[in-house]
């Protein structure tokens, strides 16, 4: 894949989105969806973001991708009555840190789609957020002033100091999926997750654990007071047109106590 391929992908709108639900651990209630990018490549088929987001970042095309992703996600949200009031999470690249024009464009897209910024959570990886703290502080403060919520994604892969975390105006941490996936039943893994959940709560933040692939992990998260869970056990990412049916099917199963 080359920069030219990616330019074609952008101009021909080959980037599409899937949405993965997030639920409240304590009650099982749906809290929102995360938009995840896929590249529908005409010859290669479906290309996953871990393969093309780094290429977009290196070739200076990431802002164009973020614009398309945010535009699509916000339009979908605005056009889908069933998801109103839930949150919509959008991933931002580390290359967008400091780009307040992007933040203003996101605000304009919210207005176009008739969506309150308070429903939108912008996720930025912990690694990049901590590497340039001044830029991060500026950007996070700007996004918060525009009304967005900000989340630290891929949390727990490095040791960030608590005072530093306390200084940053974000509202959620997302414990990286590799941590729950490693061995969620081992004592070490459970203690690690618990320490991150406790840290988040001490800072007054909502804590999401992703990579929840089985009932035991969800039960454990519930027991230790983790706020939100995301993972294949709850649902795999799905295309936007399947979300409403999925929600009704889930409500029905919950009413019949099947979930
Ligand atoms: P992420 O933001 O941490 O997103 C969660 C990833 O974990 C998704 O992978 C999702 O499909 C996967 N996942 C969710 N639940 C489970 C589970 O139970 N088990 C396992 N094994 N995996 C699970 P995906 O879609 O391949 O995305 C990978 C990463 O690519 C994302 O990680 C995010 O950092 C990045 N990404 C995705 N879409 C975008 C985008 O629009 N813009 C930017 N800048 N980055 C994006
Ligand atoms: Mg994310």
């Amino acid at each position: 894949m080359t920069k030219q391929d990616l330019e074609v992908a952008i101009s021909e709108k080959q980037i599409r989105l899937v949405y993965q639900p997030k639920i409240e651990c304590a009650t099982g209630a749906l809290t929102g969806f995360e938009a995840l990018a896929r590249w529908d490549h005409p010859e290669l088929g479906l290309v996953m973001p871990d393969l093309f987001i780094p290429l977009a970042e290196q070739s200076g095309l990431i802002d164009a991708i973020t614009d398309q992703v945010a535009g699509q996600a916000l339009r979908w949200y605005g056009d889908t009555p069933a998801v109103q009031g839930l949150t919509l999470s959008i991933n931002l690249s580390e290359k967008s840190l400091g780009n307040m024009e992007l933040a203003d464009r996101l605000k304009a897209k919210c207005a176009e789609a008739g969506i309150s910024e308070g429903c939108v959570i912008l996720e930025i990886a912990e690694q990049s957020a901590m590497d340039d703290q001044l830029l991060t502080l500026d950007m996070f403060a700007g996004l918060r002033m525009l009304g967005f919520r900000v989340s630290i994604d891929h949390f727990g892969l490095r040791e960030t100091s608590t005072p530093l975390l306390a200084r940053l105006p974000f509202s959620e941490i997302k414990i990286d999926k590799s941590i729950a996936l490693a061995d969620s039943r081992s004592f070490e893994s459970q203690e690690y997750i618990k320490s991150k959940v406790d840290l988040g709560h001490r800072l007054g933040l909502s804590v999401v654990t992703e990579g929840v692939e089985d009932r035991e992990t969800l039960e454990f998260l519930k027991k230790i007071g983790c706020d939100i869970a995301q993972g294949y056990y709850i649902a795999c990412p799905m295309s936007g047109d399947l979300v409403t049916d999925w929600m009704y099917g889930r409500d029905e199963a919950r009413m019949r106590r099947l979930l």
Side-chain angles (χ1 to χ4, degrees), residues 20 34 36-38 48-50 53 69 91-93 123 153-154 177 181 210-213 231-232 237:
Q20 188 176 33
E34 177 174 12
L36 295 160
R38 302 286 181 262
M48 300 300 275
D50 284 339
I53 294 289
V69 164
N91 290 284
L92 288 191
S93 159
E123 299 187 357
D153 208 356
H154 307 294
K177 64 172 183 281
L181 286 176
E210 60 177 18
V212 177
E213 289 194 349
Y232 295 165

Side-chain angles (χ1 to χ4, degrees), residues 196-216:
K196 298 297 170 196
V197 171
D198 291 345
L199 170 64
H201 287 165
R202 278 206 309 281
L203 296 170
L205 304 167
S206 168
V207 183
V208 183
T209 299
E210 60 177 18
V212 177
E213 289 194 349
D214 53 45
R215 187 182 201 106
E216 290 73 21

